[in-house]
């Protein structure tokens, strides 16, 4: 298929790149923890991101930064469900739920979530794959590991993602509903994160749309020696490279700035191909 359907939208897989806006409804996110804790603040932020051009809103109720504290399913559900319900009621935008737990995903789907974004690529909770298949929803399968690998990170990443794809297929998830994510910042060294971004085209060559999620992450902070709140330009650079390498989606905090950079990059690449 030459498109992927998320919610009521069909996103053409024609070389263009779409924006997934990050909405953390957590007190301890590494970059914006506590800013959007209340439902009202979260919905206002979602509204702002849609106005700035976000194609999808990704709602997360548990921080997954290094060293994060895991919370109960019940607490995560209490954080994300009211926000998803309000966004779906008030805004015409597909909503993704960022979770690796089937109980949370099930509650989010009932609330109206259109996409499952799993940082463990169905390898933590295979029930999530079955739930995704039964709901007929698309999913993001991310490369993740507890320790950095030695050797070629891209080969290791392809092997991990192949495992995730197989779990999805066994559960009945259709190939056209699968998006891959290299997992920038998850179980990788600084150098491996740079490699994963620079060689993103290798993942794009696997035949699935790819989502790049590098926004404000430590690979940018370590390169520029800047705190999370000052990594907009660094994030924009990763989005530009993502577009050049073939990413179908970029997941970002700063929608307006990244969308402008994506559009400019696409215009230049299109001119080159005329």
């Amino acid at each position: 298929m030459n498109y992927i359907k998320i919610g009521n939208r069909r996103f053409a897989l024609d070389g263009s790149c779409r924006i997934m806006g990050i909405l953390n409804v957590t007190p301890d996110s590494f970059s914006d923890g506590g800013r959007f804790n209340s439902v009202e603040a979260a919905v206002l932020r979602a509204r702002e991101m849609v106005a700035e051009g976000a194609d999808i809103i990704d709602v997360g109720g548990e921080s997954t930064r290094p060293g994060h504290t895991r919370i109960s399913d019940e607490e995560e559900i209490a954080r994300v469900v009211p926000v998803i319900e309000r966004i779906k009621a008030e805004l015409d935008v597909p909503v993704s739920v960022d979770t690796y737990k089937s109980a949370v995903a099930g509650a989010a789907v009932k609330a109206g979530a259109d996409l499952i974004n799993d940082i463990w690529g169905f390898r933590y909770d295979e029930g999530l794959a079955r739930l995704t298949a039964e709901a007929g929803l698309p999913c993001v399968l991310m490369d993740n590991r507890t320790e950095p690998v030695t050797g070629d990170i891209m080969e290791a990443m392809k092997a991990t993602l192949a495992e995730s794809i197989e779990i999805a297929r066994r559960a009945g998830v259709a190939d056209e509903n699968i998006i891959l994510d290299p997992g920038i910042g998850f179980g990788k060294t600084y150098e491996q994160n740079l490699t994963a971004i620079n060689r993103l085209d290798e993942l794009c060559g696997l035949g699935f749309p790819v989502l790049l999620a590098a926004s404000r992450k430590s690979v940018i902070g370590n390169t520029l020696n800047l705190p999370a709140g000052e990594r907009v330009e660094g994030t924009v650079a990763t989005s530009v490279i993502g577009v050049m390498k073939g990413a179908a989606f970029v997941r970002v905090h700063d929608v307006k700035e990244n969308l402008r950079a994506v559009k400019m990059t696409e215009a230049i690449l299109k001119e080159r191909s005329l």
Side-chain angles (χ1 to χ4, degrees):
M1 294 176 70
N2 60 352
Y3 67 87
I4 183 166
K5 188 173 185 295
I6 304 174
N8 63 359
R9 305 281 179 84
R10 289 187 177 186
F11 296 109
L13 302 175
D14 57 0
S16 59
C17 185
R18 304 292 185 164
I19 304 290
M20 176 185 280
I22 300 169
L23 184 59
N24 290 317
V25 289
T26 60
D28 57 345
S29 167
F30 79 94
S31 65
D32 52 10
R35 288 187 61 198
F36 312 116
N37 259 3
S38 75
V39 175
E40 292 299 330
V43 174
L44 178 60
R45 178 58 185 149
R47 192 179 298 278
E48 289 173 347
M49 288 194 288
V50 170
E52 290 176 353
D55 297 288
I56 304 166
I57 302 297
D58 188 46
V59 179
E62 178 182 279
S63 173
T64 51
R65 75 192 196 290
H68 75 281
T69 301
R70 177 171 171 166
I71 61 174
S72 68
D73 292 356
E74 292 74 20
E75 184 173 356
E76 191 174 346
I77 289 168
R79 290 178 181 180
V80 302
V81 163
V83 173
I84 293 171
E85 288 176 339
R86 282 280 303 277
I87 294 173
K88 293 302 295 184
E90 298 179 21
L91 297 170
D92 181 22
V93 64
V95 173
S96 168
V97 61
D98 180 1
T99 187
Y100 54 93
K101 305 167 189 172
S102 56
V104 177
V109 170
K110 288 179 182 177
D114 304 296
L115 171 69
I116 307 297
N117 183 9
D118 180 8
I119 64 166
W120 283 105
F122 294 159
R123 293 181 300 115
Y124 178 88
D125 180 354
E126 290 198 23
L128 193 49
R130 293 189 294 273
L131 184 151
T132 303
E134 289 167 4
L137 293 182
C139 57
V140 177
L141 304 179
M142 196 186 85
D143 174 74
N144 202 346
R145 58 197 71 247
T146 54
E147 297 290 338
V149 298
T150 57
D152 189 343
I153 184 60
M154 300 307 295
E155 292 307 311
M157 192 183 300
K158 290 175 189 175
T160 302
L161 290 172
E163 182 182 343
S164 291
I165 291 166
E166 181 55 32
I167 293 169
R169 286 171 170 167
R170 281 202 309 267
V173 178
D175 277 12
E176 58 262 32
N177 275 339
I178 295 175
I179 300 168
L180 302 181
D181 179 344
I184 303 303
F186 288 84
K188 298 173 182 66
T189 65
Y190 169 72
E191 291 80 11
Q192 287 172 340
N193 283 313
L194 292 175
T195 297
I197 297 169
N198 189 39
R199 293 171 60 185
L200 194 71
D201 52 314
E202 295 181 31
L203 287 193
C204 296
L206 297 179
F208 299 90
V210 169
L211 177 147
L212 177 63
S215 184
R216 300 186 186 176
K217 287 186 175 176
S218 62
V219 64
I220 298 169
N222 290 337
T223 300
L224 303 178
N225 192 28
L226 290 172
E230 297 183 30
R231 297 175 187 172
V232 178
E233 299 91 345
T235 299
V236 165
T238 66
S239 293
V240 169
I241 296 296
V243 172
M244 295 178 72
K245 299 292 183 177
F249 301 92
V250 288
R251 178 181 179 273
V252 298
H253 298 83
D254 304 289
V255 172
K256 178 179 65 178
E257 294 86 349
N258 282 276
L259 178 57
R260 288 174 177 175
V262 164
K263 284 183 174 179
M264 191 67 222
T265 307
E266 288 177 340
I268 294 169
L269 293 177
K270 182 179 179 182
E271 192 282 333
R272 191 177 66 185
S273 66
L274 292 178

